[in-house]
Amino acid sequence: MSKPLSASLLAIALFVVTFAVNLQAPLYDVYAQASGVGNVAVTIAFAAYVGGLMPTLMVLGGLSDRVGRKVPIAFALILGALATVLLVLWPNMISLVCARLLLGVGTALAATSGAAYMTDILGRERQKFAALVVTSATSLGFGGGALATGLCLAVQGQTVTPMSYHVLILVALVLAGGVLGLPRSQVSLSVSLMRLPVFASGTWMFGLAMALAWSTSGMTIAVVPLELAARGLGGWTGLVVFLAIFVGFLCQPLARRMTNARALSVGFVLVPLGFVVLLLGVWFNALILVLLGTCITSAASYGFTYLASLAEVARRAPDDQARATAGLFVYAYLGFSVPVIVTGLLADALGLLPAMILFLAVLVSATLTVFGRWQRSDSALIV
């Protein structure tokens, strides 16, 4: 199989794995109402994804170095199909928690294997382009699933088993077989099966930046839709989640032309700015501001910060990329999940809007602190 065809098939597989992750986002409030649970339960169900992802990253981040790149990606596709089958058969909060656990495991396997495999296919001399392909495919997938379900609900009417679920199950299973036909990668059979992630030297700032940026993504996907639904704007959830990631994809070519340090600096500015605009939109019930703020945070989270961080890790750990990528995602998904759970707890006690305001205060403070420390360090090569 030729390099372009192999890279394309791998990119499609990574897209489908991540497409499954937010497929259920427009139905969170429906599952919650049907099960009679509050905001905390919804945010815990959302964060169950990280409950599956983090242990997999911590223990099996280098699995593909032992068994090859293809098997973990094929297994991730199967897990995405299985998770969606659970929601088709039993559309409730318990199934949602179980499904998101499975999706977390699959995403961890695909994220660490996929980034390393794309470099294997395209060659180390094209490392930054390989990172761009991976971030583009996964960004489109994370946002596309929610949009697809939102569109299906608009066409089909209210249902807990939209057509997007059925399509995902079929495509994922077919692709799992296709991935196994990709070329073999060079792996070392002498390494341990269970390998912990590594944190590449000098990348701590990129990890912290990912945590801050993805905390806004977690809020936009899990918490903001609950507030939109409460204000009669729940039908826009799919578009909001899609924009929360898709605009970042559009910004990735621009980020690629920058140095990693400059791209990271842009991300530091856009993350709090975007959430301020989004929060104003929620406060004043102004959908245009919600969408604009979502776009700004997306540009930072899945555009400048994501691409710069992944490329920097690949550059600094070329011989241990799978485990180094796992280390980066440990930062990212801690940021993605912990603030959402805490905000959910605060929301039940204080209300969603006050909880979001508190999150913003912490976000701004943390961003200024981390950026200021980077400015004073030797690694801040902003030109």
Side-chain angles (χ1 to χ4, degrees), residues 39-61:
N39 296 320
V40 173
V42 174
T43 55
I44 289 175
F46 167 81
Y49 167 72
V50 181
L53 185 143
M54 287 294 288
T56 307
L57 284 180
M58 295 299 294
V59 178
L60 299 175

Side-chain angles (χ1 to χ4, degrees), residues 58-101:
M58 295 299 294
V59 178
L60 299 175
L63 176 66
S64 67
D65 291 334
R66 171 67 182 267
V67 303
R69 312 297 190 199
K70 297 187 294 184
V71 173
I73 295 170
F75 189 53
L77 287 163
I78 294 171
L79 287 176
L82 178 59
T84 309
V85 167
L86 284 177
L87 290 171
V88 170
L89 297 178
W90 300 286
N92 55 51
M93 288 299 293
I94 294 176
S95 293
L96 181 61
V97 171
C98 294
R100 289 193 62 79
L101 279 168

Side-chain angles (χ1 to χ4, degrees), residues 32-303:
Q33 290 174 14
S35 301
V37 297
N39 296 320
V40 173
V42 174
T43 55
I44 289 175
F46 167 81
Y49 167 72
V50 181
L53 185 143
M54 287 294 288
T56 307
L57 284 180
M58 295 299 294
V59 178
L60 299 175
L63 176 66
S64 67
D65 291 334
R66 171 67 182 267
V67 303
R69 312 297 190 199
K70 297 187 294 184
V71 173
I73 295 170
F75 189 53
L77 287 163
I78 294 171
L79 287 176
L82 178 59
T84 309
V85 167
L86 284 177
L87 290 171
V88 170
L89 297 178
W90 300 286
N92 55 51
M93 288 299 293
I94 294 176
S95 293
L96 181 61
V97 171
C98 294
R100 289 193 62 79
L101 279 168
L102 294 175
L103 291 167
V105 174
T107 303
L109 293 174
T112 54
S113 305
Y117 197 12
M118 190 64 74
T119 301
D120 292 344
I121 291 173
L122 295 177
R124 289 188 179 179
E125 68 279 1
R126 305 188 70 192
Q127 224 165 42
K128 193 159 186 177
F129 178 70
L132 175 64
V133 173
V134 171
T135 54
S136 297
T138 53
S139 296
L140 284 174
F142 281 128
L147 180 63
T149 295
L151 292 174
C152 287
L153 293 174
V155 173
Q156 294 177 250
Q158 192 60 53
T159 175
V160 290
T161 56
M163 186 58 64
S164 57
Y165 283 20
H166 301 283
V167 172
L168 181 279
I169 293 167
L170 176 62
V171 172
L173 293 176
V174 171
L175 267 177
V179 165
L180 294 176
L182 287 170
R184 295 183 62 183
S185 57
Q186 296 296 319
V187 295
S188 173
L189 297 180
S190 63
V191 300
S192 171
L193 182 62
M194 300 178 68
R195 307 183 71 204
L196 296 175
V198 298
F199 299 92
S201 176
T203 62
W204 63 272
M205 178 52 59
F206 292 87
L208 290 176
M210 284 280 284
L212 290 170
W214 280 32
S215 69
T216 62
S217 297
M219 292 291 293
T220 303
I221 294 169
V223 177
V224 172
L226 296 175
E227 183 68 12
L228 291 178
R231 293 172 180 266
L233 299 172
W236 294 92
T237 294
L239 179 60
V240 168
V241 175
F242 176 71
L243 289 177
I245 301 162
F246 179 69
V247 174
F249 158 75
L250 294 179
C251 292
Q252 285 174 8
L254 176 59
R256 185 181 174 222
R257 291 195 290 270
M258 298 179 175
T259 64
N260 292 334
R262 182 181 287 275
L264 193 68
S265 300
V266 173
F268 272 124
V269 174
L270 295 182
V271 165
L273 173 63
F275 203 80
V276 166
V277 175
L278 187 154
L279 188 56
L280 288 173
V282 171
W283 191 316
F284 294 109
N285 214 34
L287 181 63
I288 187 64
L289 289 180
V290 172
L291 297 178
L292 178 60
T294 299
C295 290
I296 296 171
T297 58
S298 172
S301 300
Y302 289 93

Side-chain angles (χ1 to χ4, degrees), residues 203-219 264 268 271 300-302 305-306 309 327-340 359 362-363 366-367 370:
T203 62
W204 63 272
M205 178 52 59
F206 292 87
L208 290 176
M210 284 280 284
L212 290 170
W214 280 32
S215 69
T216 62
S217 297
M219 292 291 293
L264 193 68
F268 272 124
V271 165
S301 300
Y302 289 93
T305 303
Y306 187 18
S309 301
L328 177 66
F329 281 119
V330 167
Y331 280 107
Y333 280 107
L334 282 174
F336 191 68
S337 59
V338 173
V340 168
F359 166 77
V362 174
L363 175 68
T367 300
V370 173

Side-chain angles (χ1 to χ4, degrees), residues 13-26:
L14 296 176
F15 167 81
V16 173
V17 169
T18 52
F19 184 90
V21 171
N22 291 319
L23 199 63
Q24 334 81 25

